[in-house]
Amino acid sequence: MSDFLKMIVGFLFLVFNIQVKLGKFTLDIIPDFIGYGLIFWAGKGLIEWSPCFKKTRKHAVIALVISVCRIVAQNINAGFTVQGTLLGIETIAYIYLSYYVMEGLYVKNKTEKIYELNSQLRGSWIAMAISRFVYCFLGLTDLESLTAEMGIEGMESMILVVVSAVAFVIEAFFLLTLNQNRMLLEEKDKVGQKSRKEV
């Protein structure tokens, strides 16, 4: 498996959030810390593409540690302030690490003279960062008070479902863009290897 594919699989772990309640404990079936670990691991092999991947690895470590702390805080019923702070830090680390992935690919694409996906890559990252920020904001907000002020009491669940669905679609699009980029780079590499053999 290529380093780029490992990174995409890591992001896949971060897109899905399936939690199961077992008595007092909450388990994430697809834990985020595995995703961050895969991104950290893959980033080492991609540093030769761009120094941006060093920063990706740094933020993956921060996000991994905070992700584990969030699991512990959730299962010991830590206060809302603690859980909210951890969610905020993890969200910021995730936005930064995905930014440096996008910037690193931007550099690699320019080096390889692949221009067709760069604007889509940047646009999908911006949409994904905004959706993550909104999702985090809702997690840190007293949604009942907010909906009461806006005159839409009782709509909290519906708002969370809609925001979650939109965030999932946007992050899936970001992943698809990454995968398209991977296929273009692999195709270019195969053509380069073939032409070198012929010479």
Side-chain angles (χ1 to χ4, degrees), residues 15 80 82 138 155 181:
V15 168
F80 179 77
V82 172
L138 290 177
M155 296 290 288
N181 207 144

Side-chain angles (χ1 to χ4, degrees), residues 48 119 142:
E48 62 186 40
S119 59
D142 180 3

Side-chain angles (χ1 to χ4, degrees), residues 32 36 48 96-97 106-108 151 164 172 182 187 195 199:
D32 288 353
Y36 292 125
E48 62 186 40
Y96 269 107
L97 83 82
Y106 203 82
V107 169
K108 176 65 174 171
S164 297
R182 178 188 66 82
E187 191 180 311
S195 62
V199 172

Side-chain angles (χ1 to χ4, degrees), residues 34-172:
I34 293 176
Y36 292 125
L38 280 168
I39 291 168
F40 174 79
W41 182 26
K44 185 177 183 184
L46 299 177
I47 290 171
E48 62 186 40
W49 287 7
S50 165
C52 290
F53 289 104
K54 279 186 183 176
K55 293 178 180 176
T56 295
R57 294 185 85 216
K58 181 179 92 174
H59 288 93
V61 169
I62 295 167
L64 187 150
V65 171
I66 298 299
S67 173
V68 171
C69 291
R70 273 188 66 213
I71 292 168
V72 172
Q74 192 174 20
N75 285 302
I76 64 168
N77 291 321
F80 179 77
T81 306
V82 172
Q83 291 191 47
T85 302
L86 291 172
L87 174 64
I89 296 169
E90 185 182 347
T91 300
I92 291 166
Y94 177 85
I95 288 171
Y96 269 107
L97 83 82
S98 58
Y99 170 78
Y100 288 116
V101 166
M102 183 266 298
E103 281 296 310
L105 288 175
Y106 203 82
V107 169
K108 176 65 174 171
N109 288 345
K110 279 187 157 182
T111 306
E112 297 293 329
K113 296 181 171 55
I114 297 171
Y115 302 111
E116 53 263 51
L117 275 182
N118 278 352
S119 59
Q120 184 176 321
L121 192 61
R122 189 155 278 174
S124 64
W125 175 80
I126 290 168
M128 189 269 302
I130 291 168
S131 72
R132 272 276 169 157
F133 176 79
V134 170
Y135 187 78
C136 176
F137 174 76
L138 290 177
L140 298 173
T141 306
D142 180 3
L143 204 51
E144 287 182 20
S145 299
L146 189 64
T147 52
E149 283 179 30
M150 296 170 74
I152 50 171
E153 300 93 343
M155 296 290 288
E156 298 84 10
S157 297
M158 178 63 107
I159 290 168
L160 287 173
V161 167
V162 169
V163 169
S164 297
V166 169
F168 177 80
V169 169
I170 289 170
E171 291 198 36

